[in-house]
């Protein structure tokens, strides 16, 4: 068993939510209820759409949006609700720029990034050529399950991509 450093022990004595527990999303929603209510109201009054996934906040709206005022107001509301906004994590993306949230590109609809899809296609192609063991560079104990998990993640937003990746994976000899 790994021992905790004094710093880690001190951090765990403070109030916090555990990460990764099945209850975490529900608890996060309960904790952020006031924040969500206020930000949804602000967004609605200004013709914006507010979305939150865990601790990632996103606002979308017309190009004429006063972004400085939006950031200032969101920061003020978050502080009033007991949260802090990381200025280094605050990003503004216009319509012509790649907009990501929780690892997905969300410009027109949520989708896995094209480079991740292409990388997985290349990995499956190389598995066909040299075998899956030669492609398991990170030494995943169950490489097949790892690859199928990546296919599921990408396929969640695109049935077409899922079908193509599953067809390629079905041709791989996973026993080799």
């Amino acid at each position: 068993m790994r021992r905790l450093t004094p710093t880690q022990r001190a951090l765990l004595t403070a109030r916090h939510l555990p990460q990764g527990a099945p209850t975490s999303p529900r608890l996060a929603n309960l904790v952020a209820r006031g924040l969500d209510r206020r930000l949804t109201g602000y967004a609605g009054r200004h013709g914006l759409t507010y979305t939150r996934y865990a601790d990632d906040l996103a606002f979308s709206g017309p190009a004429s949006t006063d972004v400085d005022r939006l950031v200032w107001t969101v920061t003020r509301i978050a502080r009033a609700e007991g949260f802090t906004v990381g200025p280094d994590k605050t990003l503004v993306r216009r319509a012509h720029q790649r907009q990501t949230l929780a690892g997905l590109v969300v410009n027109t609809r949520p989708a896995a990034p094209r480079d991740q899809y292409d990388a997985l296609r290349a990995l499956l192609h190389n598995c066909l050529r040299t075998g899956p063991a030669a492609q398991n560079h990170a030494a995943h104990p169950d490489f097949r399950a790892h690859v199928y998990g990546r296919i599921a993640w990408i396929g969640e937003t695109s049935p077409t991509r899922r079908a193509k990746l599953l067809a390629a994976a079905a041709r791989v000899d996973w026993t080799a």
Side-chain angles (χ1 to χ4, degrees), residues 115-137 142-155 160-176:
D115 58 334
Q116 291 193 28
Y117 170 68
D118 290 343
L120 186 52
R121 278 184 45 221
L123 176 94
L124 289 167
H125 173 77
N126 290 335
C127 284
L128 281 168
R129 286 185 41 233
T130 63
Q135 298 306 311
N136 189 4
H137 303 295
D142 189 346
F143 187 58
R144 181 183 181 275
H146 168 75
V147 170
Y148 273 88
R150 288 178 61 189
I151 292 171
W153 182 77
I154 289 172
T160 303
R161 285 181 173 182
R162 178 190 308 125
K164 288 178 182 178
L165 292 169
L166 286 173
R171 294 191 304 269
V172 173
D173 179 4
W174 296 100
T175 61

Side-chain angles (χ1 to χ4, degrees), residues 76-153:
R76 188 176 55 86
I77 291 172
R79 283 188 186 140
E81 293 294 327
F83 297 93
T84 50
V85 175
D88 54 326
K89 294 187 176 185
T90 302
L91 303 171
V92 175
R93 294 286 183 256
R94 303 289 181 187
H96 67 281
Q97 295 174 305
R98 184 181 197 181
Q99 302 166 7
T100 60
L101 182 65
L104 297 175
V105 177
V106 294
N107 286 58
T108 55
R109 61 177 176 73
R114 177 68 192 225
D115 58 334
Q116 291 193 28
Y117 170 68
D118 290 343
L120 186 52
R121 278 184 45 221
L123 176 94
L124 289 167
H125 173 77
N126 290 335
C127 284
L128 281 168
R129 286 185 41 233
T130 63
Q135 298 306 311
N136 189 4
H137 303 295
H140 293 283
D142 189 346
F143 187 58
R144 181 183 181 275
H146 168 75
V147 170
Y148 273 88
R150 288 178 61 189
I151 292 171
W153 182 77

